[in-house]
Amino acid sequence: MAKILITEDEDSLRSFVARALRLDGHETHEAADGAEGLQLLEEDRFDLLLSDIRMPVMDGIELAHRAAAQFPGLKILLMTGYAEQRERADDLMAKIIDVVDKPFALPDIRRAVAQALTAAPKAA
């Protein structure tokens, strides 16, 4: 199974997603903001970055840009509950797998992660 980094500033949602993905056999690691997420990416190898877009310290857009540049084989899936944030991710579409709209049901995020993990890696 995959090693997944979940970067989300809302504690309950981050824990919810982590538990759901562990049910599918994935190893999950969690970060509360983009800066913490980038630090974890620099310390270990991950198969997938699952990140919220709107976060304090470093948002998911900046994190995705940095992660794609530093770790070309990393698959990136973003989450957002804000339409304007989804539009901000448009310039990343060549580097990320998709943007998942919040709120989502448990089967939705599990399916999005499964599809992201089987997708061909994006070019850096």
Side-chain angles (χ1 to χ4, degrees):
M1 298 312 317
K3 189 171 184 177
I4 301 171
L5 175 59
I6 302 163
T7 307
E8 163 66 60
D9 62 318
E10 189 179 318
D11 293 343
S12 59
L13 181 59
R14 188 175 64 245
S15 296
F16 172 77
V17 170
R19 279 194 310 271
L21 297 179
R22 285 194 301 267
L23 287 175
D24 289 337
H26 301 298
E27 178 182 337
T28 62
H29 296 259
E30 301 174 33
D33 60 58
E36 184 183 341
L38 186 60
Q39 181 178 349
L40 289 173
L41 287 171
E42 291 170 346
E43 294 172 359
D44 207 348
R45 191 191 73 74
F46 291 90
D47 300 302
L48 176 70
L49 168 62
L50 175 60
S51 179
D52 189 18
I53 291 178
R54 193 171 183 173
M55 296 181 293
V57 185
M58 179 192 300
D59 70 11
I61 301 288
E62 183 177 350
L63 174 60
H65 277 296
R66 289 186 177 195
Q70 287 182 251
F71 313 101
L74 179 66
K75 294 180 180 183
I76 302 170
L77 185 62
L78 298 177
M79 308 176 281
T80 189
Y82 301 90
E84 74 277 4
Q85 299 299 324
R86 179 182 260 282
E87 291 169 13
R88 283 186 56 223
D90 282 350
D91 69 324
L92 278 169
M93 292 315 282
K95 299 176 183 176
I96 67 171
I97 304 294
D98 201 3
V99 179
V100 178
D101 291 319
K102 295 193 291 186
F104 47 74
L106 192 59
D108 298 331
I109 195 64
R110 291 170 75 187
R111 184 172 35 257
V113 165
Q115 289 171 347
L117 289 170
T118 60
K122 299 284 184 144

